[in-house]
Amino acid sequence: GFSTIAVAKAAAITRPAMLYHFCNREQLVAATVNHVMRMRADRFGAMTQAMAEAPAAERKAAVFASFRDLSSFATPEYMAFAELAAASRVDAGLAATLESAVAAYQDARIAITRQYMQHSSSFFRKLDVLTTLAEGVVLPMRMVENREQREAAVRRFIGFLATSAEADALFDAAERAGVLPSTAGEDVSGG
């Protein structure tokens, strides 16, 4: 539903220059979707690196800080992804492009987590669940009544999951029950 002429004008380039790089709208959309997902992976990598590099005594606080206000997830990249996901519901071509980019993002997210959390499989499991929860609640939280109170409750809950011994026991029980994939004996270094 967009024209390449309008895109070239908005980007302040000539249409022939844009067409040199992207022969058609489908290529332009695919490049845009892939760029958005790479930016999300880069942001996740920076957050994960900060957690991993925190001194052991400060790691819980670093994890809590990352999930406390959900600002790491309410980013322009995430909002662009959410808009693309909504549009893909009625556009099969966009849905296929987005599906491929999301799969690449998930693979990148797992590789990033394994890179930085290679010596802690339980932390890897926890970070993956917390990230999925945080990403899943950001957009709906922007659209509900009593948003501030609901966001505060979600932040407290995710903070609890990120830092408490009780949550560690909950993750362990969920893994034993088969609700979460087991990381026992897994080589989380990526090897």
Side-chain angles (χ1 to χ4, degrees):
F2 67 91
S3 76
T4 55
I5 294 170
V7 171
K9 184 177 178 181
I13 60 173
T14 65
R15 185 166 182 266
M18 185 184 70
L19 291 174
Y20 175 79
H21 296 285
F22 309 104
C23 297
N24 55 44
R25 292 187 312 163
E26 290 76 18
Q27 286 183 351
L28 182 60
V29 169
T32 301
V33 168
N34 289 318
H35 177 73
V36 166
M37 299 309 281
R38 271 192 313 276
M39 290 176 64
R40 288 185 67 209
D42 290 348
R43 190 175 290 269
F44 178 78
M47 180 186 78
T48 306
Q49 181 178 8
M51 284 185 221
E53 292 177 352
E58 299 171 17
R59 191 160 292 142
K60 268 194 175 183
V63 172
F64 182 72
S66 295
F67 290 96
R68 177 182 50 227
D69 62 6
L70 303 180
S71 62
S72 298
F73 301 95
T75 63
E77 297 87 6
Y78 181 77
M79 296 308 171
F81 161 69
E83 290 290 331
L84 289 165
S88 73
R89 292 179 183 165
V90 295
D91 184 325
L94 178 58
T97 299
L98 190 60
E99 182 179 347
S100 173
V102 167
Y105 167 73
Q106 295 292 0
D107 290 345
R109 196 174 94 182
I110 289 169
I112 289 164
T113 305
R114 287 182 175 188
Q115 173 187 352
Y116 290 112
M117 304 299 169
Q118 58 187 318
H119 301 296
S120 178
S121 63
S122 65
F123 194 82
F124 163 72
R125 175 189 67 213
K126 190 178 206 182
L127 181 62
D128 190 54
V129 171
L130 291 171
T131 301
T132 302
L133 281 172
E135 288 182 347
V137 299
V138 167
L139 193 61
M141 281 291 125
R142 304 283 183 250
M143 296 185 265
V144 296
E145 292 183 27
N146 304 321
R147 181 178 63 84
E148 292 82 12
Q149 295 90 344
R150 290 180 187 215
E151 279 190 36
V154 168
R155 285 193 305 269
R156 285 191 304 272
F157 178 67
I158 292 178
F160 165 79
L161 288 176
T163 59
S164 70
E166 294 86 355
D168 287 341
L170 176 67
F171 277 90
D172 291 341
E175 186 177 75
R176 283 191 306 277
V179 176
L180 295 176
S182 174
T183 56
E186 221 179 80
D187 176 10
V188 295
S189 65

PDB file of all heavy atoms in Angstrom, residues 132-149:
ATOM      1  N   THR A 132      10.890 -13.052  26.512  1.00  0.00           N
ATOM      2  CA  THR A 132       9.637 -13.350  25.813  1.00  0.00           C
ATOM      3  C   THR A 132       8.459 -12.690  26.520  1.00  0.00           C
ATOM      4  O   THR A 132       7.594 -12.088  25.876  1.00  0.00           O
ATOM      5  CB  THR A 132       9.433 -14.874  25.715  1.00  0.00           C
ATOM      6  OG1 THR A 132      10.558 -15.426  25.019  1.00  0.00           O
ATOM      7  CG2 THR A 132       8.156 -15.208  24.972  1.00  0.00           C
ATOM      8  N   LEU A 133       8.419 -12.779  27.858  1.00  0.00           N
ATOM      9  CA  LEU A 133       7.352 -12.126  28.620  1.00  0.00           C
ATOM     10  C   LEU A 133       7.373 -10.618  28.412  1.00  0.00           C
ATOM     11  O   LEU A 133       6.331  -9.994  28.156  1.00  0.00           O
ATOM     12  CB  LEU A 133       7.497 -12.418  30.115  1.00  0.00           C
ATOM     13  CG  LEU A 133       7.011 -13.756  30.612  1.00  0.00           C
ATOM     14  CD1 LEU A 133       7.414 -13.948  32.074  1.00  0.00           C
ATOM     15  CD2 LEU A 133       5.502 -13.862  30.468  1.00  0.00           C
ATOM     16  N   ALA A 134       8.547 -10.018  28.542  1.00  0.00           N
ATOM     17  CA  ALA A 134       8.652  -8.563  28.424  1.00  0.00           C
ATOM     18  C   ALA A 134       8.223  -8.090  27.040  1.00  0.00           C
ATOM     19  O   ALA A 134       7.454  -7.131  26.921  1.00  0.00           O
ATOM     20  CB  ALA A 134      10.079  -8.117  28.728  1.00  0.00           C
ATOM     21  N   GLU A 135       8.700  -8.755  26.001  1.00  0.00           N
ATOM     22  CA  GLU A 135       8.318  -8.357  24.649  1.00  0.00           C
ATOM     23  C   GLU A 135       6.823  -8.544  24.416  1.00  0.00           C
ATOM     24  O   GLU A 135       6.197  -7.772  23.705  1.00  0.00           O
ATOM     25  CB  GLU A 135       9.112  -9.148  23.618  1.00  0.00           C
ATOM     26  CG  GLU A 135      10.566  -8.737  23.543  1.00  0.00           C
ATOM     27  CD  GLU A 135      11.343  -9.488  22.478  1.00  0.00           C
ATOM     28  OE1 GLU A 135      10.853 -10.491  21.944  1.00  0.00           O
ATOM     29  OE2 GLU A 135      12.467  -9.048  22.181  1.00  0.00           O
ATOM     30  N   GLY A 136       6.266  -9.571  25.041  1.00  0.00           N
ATOM     31  CA  GLY A 136       4.849  -9.856  24.850  1.00  0.00           C
ATOM     32  C   GLY A 136       3.911  -8.892  25.545  1.00  0.00           C
ATOM     33  O   GLY A 136       2.762  -8.745  25.131  1.00  0.00           O
ATOM     34  N   VAL A 137       4.375  -8.211  26.590  1.00  0.00           N
ATOM     35  CA  VAL A 137       3.472  -7.320  27.323  1.00  0.00           C
ATOM     36  C   VAL A 137       3.636  -5.854  26.961  1.00  0.00           C
ATOM     37  O   VAL A 137       2.768  -5.050  27.279  1.00  0.00           O
ATOM     38  CB  VAL A 137       3.630  -7.467  28.854  1.00  0.00           C
ATOM     39  CG1 VAL A 137       3.317  -8.867  29.294  1.00  0.00           C
ATOM     40  CG2 VAL A 137       4.984  -7.021  29.341  1.00  0.00           C
ATOM     41  N   VAL A 138       4.714  -5.481  26.301  1.00  0.00           N
ATOM     42  CA  VAL A 138       4.966  -4.061  26.058  1.00  0.00           C
ATOM     43  C   VAL A 138       3.858  -3.409  25.254  1.00  0.00           C
ATOM     44  O   VAL A 138       3.275  -2.414  25.681  1.00  0.00           O
ATOM     45  CB  VAL A 138       6.325  -3.850  25.365  1.00  0.00           C
ATOM     46  CG1 VAL A 138       6.449  -2.444  24.822  1.00  0.00           C
ATOM     47  CG2 VAL A 138       7.444  -4.110  26.349  1.00  0.00           C
ATOM     48  N   LEU A 139       3.542  -3.936  24.092  1.00  0.00           N
ATOM     49  CA  LEU A 139       2.562  -3.281  23.236  1.00  0.00           C
ATOM     50  C   LEU A 139       1.158  -3.310  23.825  1.00  0.00           C
ATOM     51  O   LEU A 139       0.499  -2.279  23.888  1.00  0.00           O
ATOM     52  CB  LEU A 139       2.575  -3.878  21.828  1.00  0.00           C
ATOM     53  CG  LEU A 139       1.812  -3.059  20.808  1.00  0.00           C
ATOM     54  CD1 LEU A 139       2.419  -1.665  20.660  1.00  0.00           C
ATOM     55  CD2 LEU A 139       1.806  -3.759  19.477  1.00  0.00           C
ATOM     56  N   PRO A 140       0.664  -4.461  24.302  1.00  0.00           N
ATOM     57  CA  PRO A 140      -0.684  -4.442  24.894  1.00  0.00           C
ATOM     58  C   PRO A 140      -0.795  -3.474  26.073  1.00  0.00           C
ATOM     59  O   PRO A 140      -1.834  -2.871  26.273  1.00  0.00           O
ATOM     60  CB  PRO A 140      -0.894  -5.891  25.357  1.00  0.00           C
ATOM     61  CG  PRO A 140      -0.001  -6.690  24.481  1.00  0.00           C
ATOM     62  CD  PRO A 140       1.193  -5.818  24.223  1.00  0.00           C
ATOM     63  N   MET A 141       0.276  -3.309  26.826  1.00  0.00           N
ATOM     64  CA  MET A 141       0.234  -2.390  27.968  1.00  0.00           C
ATOM     65  C   MET A 141      -0.019  -0.961  27.532  1.00  0.00           C
ATOM     66  O   MET A 141      -0.532  -0.160  28.285  1.00  0.00           O
ATOM     67  CB  MET A 141       1.550  -2.440  28.752  1.00  0.00           C
ATOM     68  CG  MET A 141       1.681  -3.616  29.662  1.00  0.00           C
ATOM     69  SD  MET A 141       0.531  -3.477  31.042  1.00  0.00           S
ATOM     70  CE  MET A 141      -0.324  -5.016  30.873  1.00  0.00           C
ATOM     71  N   ARG A 142       0.356  -0.621  26.298  1.00  0.00           N
ATOM     72  CA  ARG A 142       0.162   0.737  25.806  1.00  0.00           C
ATOM     73  C   ARG A 142      -1.302   1.003  25.431  1.00  0.00           C
ATOM     74  O   ARG A 142      -1.658   2.131  25.146  1.00  0.00           O
ATOM     75  CB  ARG A 142       1.048   0.984  24.577  1.00  0.00           C
ATOM     76  CG  ARG A 142       2.509   0.741  24.814  1.00  0.00           C
ATOM     77  CD  ARG A 142       3.115   1.900  25.583  1.00  0.00           C
ATOM     78  NE  ARG A 142       4.540   1.705  25.764  1.00  0.00           N
ATOM     79  CZ  ARG A 142       5.106   1.428  26.937  1.00  0.00           C
ATOM     80  NH1 ARG A 142       4.390   1.300  28.002  1.00  0.00           N
ATOM     81  NH2 ARG A 142       6.401   1.298  27.033  1.00  0.00           N
ATOM     82  N   MET A 143      -2.116  -0.046  25.408  1.00  0.00           N
ATOM     83  CA  MET A 143      -3.469   0.103  24.884  1.00  0.00           C
ATOM     84  C   MET A 143      -4.570  -0.176  25.899  1.00  0.00           C
ATOM     85  O   MET A 143      -5.711  -0.305  25.520  1.00  0.00           O
ATOM     86  CB  MET A 143      -3.645  -0.846  23.696  1.00  0.00           C
ATOM     87  CG  MET A 143      -2.743  -0.521  22.537  1.00  0.00           C
ATOM     88  SD  MET A 143      -3.080  -1.553  21.115  1.00  0.00           S
ATOM     89  CE  MET A 143      -1.873  -2.845  21.359  1.00  0.00           C
ATOM     90  N   VAL A 144      -4.253  -0.288  27.169  1.00  0.00           N
ATOM     91  CA  VAL A 144      -5.280  -0.641  28.138  1.00  0.00           C
ATOM     92  C   VAL A 144      -5.563   0.504  29.084  1.00  0.00           C
ATOM     93  O   VAL A 144      -4.753   1.414  29.260  1.00  0.00           O
ATOM     94  CB  VAL A 144      -4.855  -1.887  28.970  1.00  0.00           C
ATOM     95  CG1 VAL A 144      -4.723  -3.103  28.094  1.00  0.00           C
ATOM     96  CG2 VAL A 144      -3.586  -1.625  29.742  1.00  0.00           C
ATOM     97  N   GLU A 145      -6.755   0.445  29.690  1.00  0.00           N
ATOM     98  CA  GLU A 145      -7.073   1.414  30.728  1.00  0.00           C
ATOM     99  C   GLU A 145      -6.224   1.112  31.955  1.00  0.00           C
ATOM    100  O   GLU A 145      -5.743  -0.006  32.127  1.00  0.00           O
ATOM    101  CB  GLU A 145      -8.558   1.313  31.087  1.00  0.00           C
ATOM    102  CG  GLU A 145      -9.469   1.768  29.966  1.00  0.00           C
ATOM    103  CD  GLU A 145     -10.923   1.718  30.381  1.00  0.00           C
ATOM    104  OE1 GLU A 145     -11.210   1.847  31.586  1.00  0.00           O
ATOM    105  OE2 GLU A 145     -11.752   1.558  29.484  1.00  0.00           O
ATOM    106  N   ASN A 146      -6.043   2.093  32.790  1.00  0.00           N
ATOM    107  CA  ASN A 146      -5.216   1.951  33.995  1.00  0.00           C
ATOM    108  C   ASN A 146      -3.812   1.485  33.630  1.00  0.00           C
ATOM    109  O   ASN A 146      -3.206   0.675  34.316  1.00  0.00           O
ATOM    110  CB  ASN A 146      -5.833   0.971  34.993  1.00  0.00           C
ATOM    111  CG  ASN A 146      -7.235   1.367  35.384  1.00  0.00           C
ATOM    112  OD1 ASN A 146      -7.507   2.544  35.556  1.00  0.00           O
ATOM    113  ND2 ASN A 146      -8.110   0.398  35.493  1.00  0.00           N
ATOM    114  N   ARG A 147      -3.308   1.997  32.529  1.00  0.00           N
ATOM    115  CA  ARG A 147      -2.023   1.555  32.002  1.00  0.00           C
ATOM    116  C   ARG A 147      -0.906   1.659  33.031  1.00  0.00           C
ATOM    117  O   ARG A 147      -0.125   0.727  33.192  1.00  0.00           O
ATOM    118  CB  ARG A 147      -1.669   2.370  30.756  1.00  0.00           C
ATOM    119  CG  ARG A 147      -0.361   1.971  30.131  1.00  0.00           C
ATOM    120  CD  ARG A 147      -0.064   2.766  28.870  1.00  0.00           C
ATOM    121  NE  ARG A 147       0.090   4.171  29.102  1.00  0.00           N
ATOM    122  CZ  ARG A 147       1.221   4.752  29.503  1.00  0.00           C
ATOM    123  NH1 ARG A 147       2.276   4.025  29.713  1.00  0.00           N
ATOM    124  NH2 ARG A 147       1.284   6.051  29.689  1.00  0.00           N
ATOM    125  N   GLU A 148      -0.841   2.784  33.750  1.00  0.00           N
ATOM    126  CA  GLU A 148       0.257   2.974  34.702  1.00  0.00           C
ATOM    127  C   GLU A 148       0.241   1.910  35.789  1.00  0.00           C
ATOM    128  O   GLU A 148       1.278   1.331  36.123  1.00  0.00           O
ATOM    129  CB  GLU A 148       0.198   4.375  35.340  1.00  0.00           C
ATOM    130  CG  GLU A 148       0.494   5.503  34.359  1.00  0.00           C
ATOM    131  CD  GLU A 148      -0.725   5.902  33.529  1.00  0.00           C
ATOM    132  OE1 GLU A 148      -1.863   5.475  33.844  1.00  0.00           O
ATOM    133  OE2 GLU A 148      -0.533   6.626  32.534  1.00  0.00           O
ATOM    134  N   GLN A 149      -0.953   1.623  36.340  1.00  0.00           N
ATOM    135  CA  GLN A 149      -1.048   0.614  37.391  1.00  0.00           C
ATOM    136  C   GLN A 149      -0.726  -0.776  36.844  1.00  0.00           C
ATOM    137  O   GLN A 149      -0.042  -1.561  37.492  1.00  0.00           O
ATOM    138  CB  GLN A 149      -2.455   0.605  38.028  1.00  0.00           C
ATOM    139  CG  GLN A 149      -2.796   1.875  38.757  1.00  0.00           C
ATOM    140  CD  GLN A 149      -3.459   2.909  37.852  1.00  0.00           C
ATOM    141  OE1 GLN A 149      -3.433   2.837  36.629  1.00  0.00           O
ATOM    142  NE2 GLN A 149      -4.053   3.913  38.478  1.00  0.00           N
TER     143      GLN A 149
END
